[in-house]
Amino acid sequence: DIQMTQSPSSLSASVGDRVTITCRASQGISSYLAWFQQKPGKAPKSLIYAASSLQSGVPSKFSGSGSGTDFTLTISSLQPEDFATYYCQQYDSYPLTFGGGTKVEIK
Amino acid sequence: QVQLVQSGAEVKKPGASVKVSCKASGYTFTSYGISWVRQAPGQGLEWMGWISRNNGNTKYAQNLQGRVTMITDTSTSTAYMELRSLRSDDTAVYYCARGEAADYWGQGTLVTVSS
């Protein structure tokens, strides 16, 4: 199985900060990587697919990059509505696997 | 607009079975498979399995093999996930999502397993 390791597991940031979350796959997954945002009590929401493609309707402050084993999600200017938990997921091979999540909190 | 609407919350006793439905609308159901993901209280996301868009081919998580079945009814654009021999650690919110990249999600179904 492909292990997905996210870092950090949590971070504190201020409104307006640039935030970067990393996701590392235990083996190459090409660009078969998605990023999700989840707020408490809500279903996850897709932000990025194919490592760097922005999902329709998602603001351009979110961006994804990487291929192979190393990936990043960047929020260019953190806003109050961005405080949430973020997950990566590989969909290169079965079983599909998620990272452990990164909780973004207000500093 | 794309919507996945799941069935309501369930309370089950250990050893029982649960069947969660996921009704799709706003797109051609047979153009995408359906993924199922669960989330135990306070925990991360766990992939449970996937059913293909047309021929019903399935892939299940190893730890659920033998207890889970996923099917689709193309006549009603509905996917179903049945989990049997429920245990207390199956207590979770269960989600369906469109495709392997999970671009749209259902609202979630809370399944509580308790004696």
Side-chain angles (χ1 to χ4, degrees):
Chain A
D1 298 2
I2 299 174
Q3 308 303 317
M4 304 301 293
T5 303
Q6 274 183 249
S7 60
S9 55
S10 66
L11 65 89
S12 294
S14 300
V15 172
D17 282 354
R18 181 183 181 90
V19 168
T20 297
I21 298 167
T22 66
C23 183
R24 175 164 289 175
S26 60
Q27 64 191 71
I29 58 169
S30 185
S31 295
Y32 294 104
L33 184 100
W35 288 98
F36 304 95
Q37 177 194 64
Q38 187 180 34
K39 296 181 180 179
K42 299 295 187 182
K45 174 187 175 183
S46 176
L47 300 175
I48 302 282
Y49 65 97
S52 60
S53 296
L54 198 65
Q55 202 61 252
S56 174
V58 173
S60 58
K61 61 182 171 181
F62 292 98
S63 63
S65 65
S67 68
T69 59
D70 294 309
F71 302 86
T72 60
L73 172 71
T74 299
I75 310 170
S76 60
S77 177
L78 202 64
Q79 296 303 304
E81 63 270 19
D82 303 328
F83 292 94
T85 300
Y86 294 84
Y87 295 93
C88 61
Q89 182 211 22
Q90 67 83 16
Y91 54 100
D92 176 72
S93 61
Y94 294 101
L96 308 190
T97 43
F98 288 91
T102 296
K103 187 173 185 179
V104 177
E105 298 177 303
I106 302 172
K107 182 183 283 185
Chain B
Q1 73 282 23
V2 174
Q3 280 194 302
L4 298 172
V5 179
Q6 298 183 221
S7 48
E10 304 262 14
V11 179
K12 297 291 183 181
K13 293 193 181 303
S17 299
V18 69
K19 192 171 188 177
V20 177
S21 67
C22 170
K23 183 170 177 59
S25 61
Y27 73 98
T28 301
F29 185 68
T30 51
S31 294
Y32 294 83
I34 294 287
S35 294
W36 288 90
V37 174
R38 69 179 179 179
Q39 186 171 38
Q43 302 301 308
L45 302 173
E46 178 189 8
W47 180 80
M48 298 179 66
W50 168 87
I51 183 164
S52 70
R53 60 191 177 97
N54 45 21
N55 63 6
N57 186 34
T58 53
K59 299 285 188 184
Y60 299 137
Q62 177 81 13
N63 65 326
L64 297 174
Q65 285 276 2
R67 290 204 300 136
V68 68
T69 301
M70 297 173 187
I71 62 172
T72 57
D73 180 346
T74 56
S75 69
T76 59
S77 299
T78 303
Y80 297 90
M81 184 283 301
E82 181 182 39
L83 188 60
R84 300 175 292 278
S85 302
L86 289 167
R87 309 186 293 242
S88 57
D89 62 357
D90 291 318
T91 294
V93 177
Y94 289 74
Y95 295 103
C96 62
R98 188 178 79 163
E100 290 137 300
D103 57 356
Y104 289 91
W105 293 63
Q107 83 276 19
T109 296
L110 175 62
V111 176
T112 303
V113 183
S114 173
S115 54

